Amino acid sequence: MAQFCKKCGTAHTPDARFCDECGNAVNTAPAPASSPAAAQVPTPAPALSGVKRRHLILAGGVLAVVVVAGGALAWLLAPEAASAGSFSRAIDAHLAADEAARDKLLCLSNLPYQKEEIRVASYDSSTRQWLDALVRSELYTGPVEQSSGGWIAQSQFVYTLAAPGKAALRGDKLCVAKGVKVASVSGYEQVRELGGQQVAMATAKLALTDEAAWLAKSADRALILERLPHGDLEVQLPLALVDKQWQVTDRVQLNQAAMAMAAAIGQSPAVQGAGMLDKLKSVFSFGGHPLVGKWQAPRGNVLEFTRDSVIENGKVTKGTFTTEGNVVTLAPEGAGGTVMRISLSNNNNTAQVSLGGMRVGTLQRVRD
């Protein structure tokens, strides 16, 4: 079938590409119509420039830093929580800074250890047994038996301080280690409010640090440790939240504050009942005086301890009681009184009594 040029009308074959007469292009395929879907494809938004992208990243980073810093600041400003960790830190810091408190735990002062020689009467078997243990630990040499002379001759045993013994001295005290640290602690679960301040009484079990070499290798190590003021290395210490941190505080001041607060409450009309003030005082009593009550001495006589005195056979001796862990010290009023130190057992049923640094007997608690 003949086809014609659309420009000049000249006939051309079906396979011709151009008109022989005018050169017009023939048999060209029509351009495809654009689909509606293609027409509706949105033009992509131009990409952000590098500067704008950096600004967004920087702004996000600043926001993250502000959030983290705010959380850190809130954490720093929050009071320290009462916990085993915070109480251990406070007690460790106290013992590291207070040499006197540390020496009370680690040193013995029951004998004049600073002297070159210690003379012991033959009948004083308790002191001799103790010094014999120090001889076995190579702190002393001896004993050498000597006669005291005089009208009535008496035998004495002389113990001489050895070089390791001199090295173990701090002043006039015999010390078993350089320091201590908290091994375990309790009391943080019983925090009280006292005059707007949080307080607690902590009980800490301690462990020796930098233990003396002579003690570590001594066969009498357990016996020697028992002679320490706190033979079980357990202490009670009052703590208070000061400047948002737990710190060991002064026991006397804490007790005075507690008593003052209890007295002030007791004067209030809202507090009624004869025993209310005593109840309040007991609530705020820290450490206290665990000897209160009746005790039987080895000879069968009974001692009765009150808050400020000891009674024996009707005789009342006033004094001041101080408590350090399981050791109670009674300092009688007036001149000439002998200081009495009483070391209580863990169950508070028995107590060892020492006068002038020497053990004189054991007390047994009398239950009513």
Side-chain angles (χ1 to χ4, degrees):
M1 180 177 177
Q3 295 182 357
F4 300 91
C5 175
K6 294 180 179 180
K7 185 175 181 181
C8 65
T10 304
H12 61 80
T13 60
D15 57 345
R17 297 185 62 189
F18 298 96
C19 177
D20 293 335
E21 183 65 26
C22 66
N24 183 44
V26 294
N27 291 329
T28 57
S34 60
S35 66
Q40 295 176 3
V41 174
T43 303
L48 291 174
S49 68
V51 174
K52 290 183 178 180
R53 187 163 53 249
R54 285 196 298 272
H55 285 174
L56 286 176
I57 294 174
L58 182 60
V62 170
L63 180 60
V65 170
V66 169
V67 172
V68 173
L73 183 61
W75 179 80
L76 289 173
L77 294 178
E80 187 176 29
S83 65
S86 60
F87 276 31
S88 295
R89 178 203 55 74
I91 295 172
D92 283 341
H94 166 69
L95 294 177
D98 193 332
E99 183 178 357
R102 193 167 62 248
D103 283 356
K104 284 183 180 180
L105 298 171
L106 300 174
C107 300
L108 294 153
S109 57
N110 57 320
L111 290 174
Y113 293 107
Q114 76 280 10
K115 292 185 177 181
E116 291 290 333
E117 293 181 348
I118 295 180
R119 295 176 177 270
V120 184
S122 58
Y123 58 82
D124 191 351
S125 59
S126 176
T127 303
R128 287 175 54 195
Q129 289 174 2
W130 168 244
L131 286 170
D132 286 343
L134 298 185
V135 170
R136 292 191 295 270
S137 301
E138 301 180 355
L139 300 185
Y140 281 81
T141 60
V144 176
E145 187 174 5
Q146 294 182 356
S147 176
S148 63
W151 291 100
I152 302 176
Q154 291 184 347
S155 294
Q156 290 184 335
F157 290 87
V158 181
Y159 295 81
T160 304
L161 186 64
K166 293 180 181 179
L169 295 180
R170 282 209 287 270
D172 58 352
K173 298 182 288 291
L174 179 65
C175 301
V176 301
K178 291 183 179 179
V180 286
K181 65 178 181 180
V182 175
S184 62
V185 66
S186 61
Y188 53 86
E189 61 284 282
Q190 296 180 347
V191 176
R192 303 170 183 172
E193 193 82 16
L194 179 59
Q197 185 178 46
Q198 292 187 12
V199 295
M201 178 60 68
T203 300
K205 187 73 175 179
L206 305 175
L208 300 179
T209 60
D210 294 326
E211 182 176 338
W214 65 266
L215 177 66
K217 66 181 182 180
S218 174
D220 298 291
R221 182 180 184 275
L223 172 65
I224 293 169
L225 290 178
E226 286 179 1
R227 288 295 188 101
L228 291 174
H230 298 268
D232 54 0
L233 288 177
E234 185 174 285
V235 295
Q236 283 189 318
L237 292 169
L239 273 74
L241 190 62
V242 180
D243 295 331
K244 299 184 179 181
Q245 277 198 324
W246 285 100
Q247 299 179 16
V248 175
T249 188
D250 184 78
R251 186 191 301 266
V252 175
Q253 291 181 356
L254 200 61
N255 274 326
Q256 289 175 347
M259 294 302 102
M261 181 178 178
I265 295 175
Q267 294 172 0
S268 171
V271 179
Q272 299 178 357
M276 181 59 71
L277 183 57
D278 290 335
K279 290 180 181 179
L280 287 170
K281 289 182 178 180
S282 66
V283 167
F284 293 110
S285 177
F286 291 90
H289 167 13
L291 282 176
V292 171
K294 295 180 179 180
W295 297 77
Q296 187 172 20
R299 296 180 181 179
N301 54 315
V302 175
L303 301 178
E304 182 178 358
F305 291 94
T306 68
R307 294 184 65 86
D308 60 355
S309 66
V310 56
I311 305 171
E312 182 181 11
N313 295 328
K315 180 182 178 182
V316 179
T317 302
K318 291 282 187 178
T320 301
F321 291 85
T322 56
T323 305
E324 288 290 340
N326 64 339
V327 179
V328 179
T329 302
L330 168 59
E333 293 181 356
T338 303
V339 174
M340 179 187 297
R341 290 170 61 88
I342 304 102
S343 300
L344 284 86
S345 61
N346 289 334
N347 58 14
N348 285 349
N349 287 330
T350 60
Q352 297 289 335
V353 181
S354 299
L355 293 175
M358 302 300 298
R359 290 192 180 183
V360 296
T362 302
L363 300 179
Q364 183 74 37
R365 187 182 289 275
V366 177
R367 301 293 182 182
D368 294 330

